[in-house]
Amino acid sequence: YTGKGIFKIDNEPIKDGYGIFVYSNKDKYTGNFYDNKKSGRGKYLFNNGDLYIGSWFNDILIGKCKINFADGTTYYGEVYDYIMEGTGKYTYSNGYYYKGEFNSNLFYGKGILYNNNHHKVYSGNWKNGKYHGQGTLIWTNWDETSHKITKEKYIGEFKDGEIYTEKRLNWELSEKDNEEDYKFKVISEFDYESVKSKFNFNKFLNL
């Protein structure tokens, strides 16, 4: 340990004030100490390259924090003891980013995923890092008829990152319905397979 405010009790150094401490595993903390504990503003560099910049209280990182991960992703938001917890913004190395709620380092609760052009990809509920509950999914699709890129949208239920519905296309053609009315009724309802075939879920769930 090197820094200001160093004093000793029974020949043991007590960390107090601003300083730098390198741990035996090569982690390094630079910042303020009080009574031998990290306290106040500082930054903690893990030996794997992850860097946490924030405020400590009684040796616990708490409140707003900026994290630069070694893989190029970043986070700015609330943390508790090095865990993303509360609200924040998580940015992937490819420019996609999520803004919303976190629980135990995972997207959890209300949140929005944006692409690198700042357009919404998904907004709604999340659970364990996946689309889950009510939400809106937006993606682009190449229209063979018009030869244009169109935007597609699904609004409804999701489960574990997949579109989810308990609806069944089980109408029967009644005497008062003509064939065209029946076809319109069917295609107006959500068809899981046709929507899924147009959208690559893994592309967005495994950025």
Side-chain angles (χ1 to χ4, degrees):
Y1 171 78
T2 60
K4 300 177 181 178
I6 308 170
F7 60 94
K8 296 183 178 182
I9 296 178
D10 296 331
N11 291 321
E12 288 296 323
I14 300 296
K15 299 183 289 292
D16 203 277
Y18 180 84
I20 301 171
F21 186 82
V22 179
Y23 295 83
S24 59
N25 65 353
K26 304 304 180 183
D27 288 358
K28 182 170 75 172
Y29 172 77
T30 304
N32 290 290
F33 293 86
Y34 177 73
D35 195 22
N36 222 30
K37 295 179 180 179
K38 296 184 289 294
S39 185
R41 295 292 297 175
K43 57 184 180 181
Y44 194 102
L45 179 64
F46 283 89
N47 58 22
N48 65 356
D50 293 346
L51 177 64
Y52 289 68
I53 304 170
S55 296
W56 277 257
F57 177 74
N58 203 29
D59 245 2
I60 296 175
L61 178 63
I62 191 169
K64 294 285 188 180
C65 177
K66 182 178 180 181
I67 308 172
N68 296 324
F69 293 102
D71 63 3
T73 58
T74 63
Y75 173 79
Y76 179 76
E78 296 175 311
V79 299
Y80 182 80
D81 201 17
Y82 303 100
I83 295 174
M84 295 180 287
E85 194 85 33
T87 59
K89 177 182 177 181
Y90 186 93
T91 304
Y92 293 90
S93 57
N94 65 0
Y96 279 63
Y97 60 96
Y98 166 88
K99 294 177 74 174
E101 298 175 324
F102 291 77
N103 180 269
S104 299
N105 283 334
L106 297 174
F107 307 160
Y108 204 113
K110 296 285 187 181
I112 303 174
L113 177 67
Y114 296 86
N115 64 20
N116 50 14
N117 291 316
H118 311 292
H119 297 147
K120 290 181 182 179
V121 173
Y122 173 83
S123 63
N125 290 293
W126 299 73
K127 183 179 179 181
N128 296 328
K130 296 180 179 180
Y131 313 148
H132 193 93
Q134 186 71 22
T136 300
L137 181 68
I138 303 171
W139 69 98
T140 55
N141 181 56
W142 176 255
D143 191 317
E144 292 290 349
T145 303
S146 64
H147 298 286
K148 293 181 179 179
I149 295 175
T150 61
K151 277 192 174 182
E152 305 285 348
K153 180 187 288 187
Y154 167 73
I155 302 173
E157 290 291 318
F158 294 80
K159 185 177 181 180
D160 294 328
E162 295 278 354
I163 288 175
Y164 175 76
T165 181
E166 292 182 344
K167 290 181 180 178
R168 297 289 183 266
L169 306 180
N170 57 2
W171 297 284
E172 293 181 2
L173 187 60
S174 65
E175 292 181 2
K176 66 179 181 179
D177 286 336
N178 61 43
E179 187 175 356
E180 289 304 313
D181 289 337
Y182 174 74
K183 287 180 180 178
F184 178 76
K185 221 185 245 188
V186 172
I187 65 174
S188 296
E189 288 294 325
F190 168 56
D191 181 345
Y192 174 85
E193 291 301 327
S194 67
V195 173
K196 184 178 179 181
S197 68
K198 294 179 182 179
F199 182 78
N200 183 354
F201 287 89
N202 290 331
K203 178 179 177 181
F204 294 105
L205 294 175
N206 300 304
L207 292 172

